[in-house]
Amino acid sequence: MELWAPEHIQTLLPALGIMILISVVFRLVLGNKSLKVRMIPIQVIACLLLLLEIGKQIVSWKQGYDLYHLPFHFCSLFLLVLPLMAFYRGKRRSAVNAISAAVCTSLLLLMLIYPNLIYSGGNIQNFFKHYLDFHTVAFHNLVMLASFLVIALQLHDPQPKGEPKAILLFTAGFCTVSASMAHILKTNYANYYTCNIPPLEAIRVSLQDILGYGVTQILYVLIVSLLNLGFVLMCYYLYKLLSKLVRGRKVQTVSTT
């Protein structure tokens, strides 16, 4: 189980340094501006993600559509949550922003721990050769940049009540849809059909001989769902901690509306 491929060390570490630098620069330049202005970088990123995804769907269609490219993966959530954070201004804005921040922080933490689970060294090698590989690497790096910017630009003020519940409900909804579609289409969305982590996949397969396929899959789906719920909620509290630390070094803001 290789957590980091050599290509990740060569590209991801410099990319993270650049993202942190960009976030610091944007904080210095936009930190005193209104939320409307500070939100512009996220709006740009959200639009880029949507354009990248449209390109992915077109390329997949031309190649003979692969069901794996349907948006039922965990990372497909960014096609929903980041545009909502960027453009939604309704009464549920705090919950929407909290969900987006938690999900973005989840990807950032996964990329720091186990980037090979998100995209492979082969994707990096083919970055300039094939659009789908370019999409995979560019998409996730843009989300990581958004994660840093949400914190650096203080785009959301975590609230003491309501947000954890909203995050859990949203994540549970995703788990239900993703797990259902994975088994209906027999396609491994969000690791719900099989497990991309070899040691855990070996355990899942071995349990089928003892419990049978149906019972094993039900247990497997429940475990994966609980892990998703726990991980996203944990990342929300990590985001709150990071946000609090950044606000401790706060750039005086003129307005938050």
Side-chain angles (χ1 to χ4, degrees):
M1 186 175 71
E2 186 179 44
L3 300 182
W4 285 64
E7 292 83 359
H8 290 117
I9 297 173
Q10 296 164 5
T11 61
L12 182 56
L13 291 179
L16 287 169
I18 293 171
M19 291 175 200
I20 293 171
L21 179 60
I22 290 172
S23 300
V24 171
V25 171
F26 270 91
R27 179 174 171 80
L28 292 174
V29 174
L30 301 180
N32 292 326
K33 306 297 182 181
S34 68
L35 178 61
K36 182 177 180 179
V37 174
R38 285 182 281 133
M39 192 64 76
I40 291 174
I42 300 300
Q43 292 173 340
V44 172
I45 290 175
C47 291
L48 288 174
L49 293 180
L50 291 172
L51 289 173
L52 284 169
E53 184 65 18
I54 291 170
K56 169 186 166 182
Q57 298 300 324
I58 292 172
V59 170
S60 183
W61 184 265
K62 288 182 177 179
Q63 293 181 354
Y65 197 79
D66 186 345
L67 292 177
Y68 190 75
H69 293 151
L70 287 171
F72 298 116
H73 300 276
F74 182 84
C75 292
S76 302
L77 290 175
F78 301 116
L79 298 170
L80 174 64
V81 297
L82 276 175
L84 281 175
M85 183 178 197
F87 298 104
Y88 176 71
R89 294 294 178 268
K91 63 180 182 179
R92 303 290 184 186
R93 183 171 66 181
S94 177
V96 167
N97 289 353
I99 291 168
S100 183
V103 175
C104 286
T105 305
S106 298
L107 177 72
L108 179 60
L109 187 57
L110 279 173
M111 286 296 297
L112 292 175
I113 298 172
Y114 193 177
N116 212 26
L117 185 65
I118 309 300
Y119 61 77
S120 67
N123 293 133
I124 299 171
Q125 292 173 3
N126 293 319
F127 181 79
F128 294 108
K129 298 177 182 178
H130 303 294
Y131 179 80
L132 294 178
D133 294 293
F134 164 78
H135 169 277
T136 298
V137 177
F139 184 95
H140 293 95
N141 277 268
L142 281 172
V143 174
M144 284 193 291
L145 176 59
S147 303
F148 285 115
L149 290 173
V150 167
I151 296 171
L153 294 176
Q154 299 174 14
L155 299 181
H156 168 59
D157 184 9
Q159 301 301 306
K161 295 181 180 180
E163 292 182 349
K165 181 180 178 180
I167 289 165
L168 287 175
L169 288 173
F170 177 84
T171 306
F174 158 74
C175 292
T176 301
V177 172
S178 183
S180 298
M181 295 309 298
H183 286 83
I184 291 170
L185 300 178
K186 301 186 187 313
T187 305
N188 195 32
Y189 305 119
N191 274 318
Y192 269 114
Y193 197 60
T194 58
C195 186
N196 287 339
I197 303 174
L200 298 182
E201 175 63 5
I203 294 173
R204 186 190 71 84
V205 172
S206 66
L207 284 176
Q208 292 179 9
D209 297 330
I210 302 171
L211 303 175
Y213 178 79
V215 174
T216 299
Q217 283 303 104
I218 290 172
L219 288 174
Y220 176 69
V221 166
L222 289 174
I223 291 170
V224 172
S225 297
L226 288 173
L227 288 173
N228 274 318
L229 289 166
F231 186 72
V232 174
L233 187 61
M234 180 194 74
C235 287
Y236 168 70
Y237 286 110
L238 174 61
Y239 156 74
K240 283 188 68 174
L241 175 62
L242 293 173
S243 181
K244 183 178 180 179
L245 291 174
V246 169
R247 287 174 186 277
R249 299 174 177 273
K250 190 172 184 180
V251 175
Q252 188 67 33
T253 57
V254 174
S255 173
T256 58
T257 60

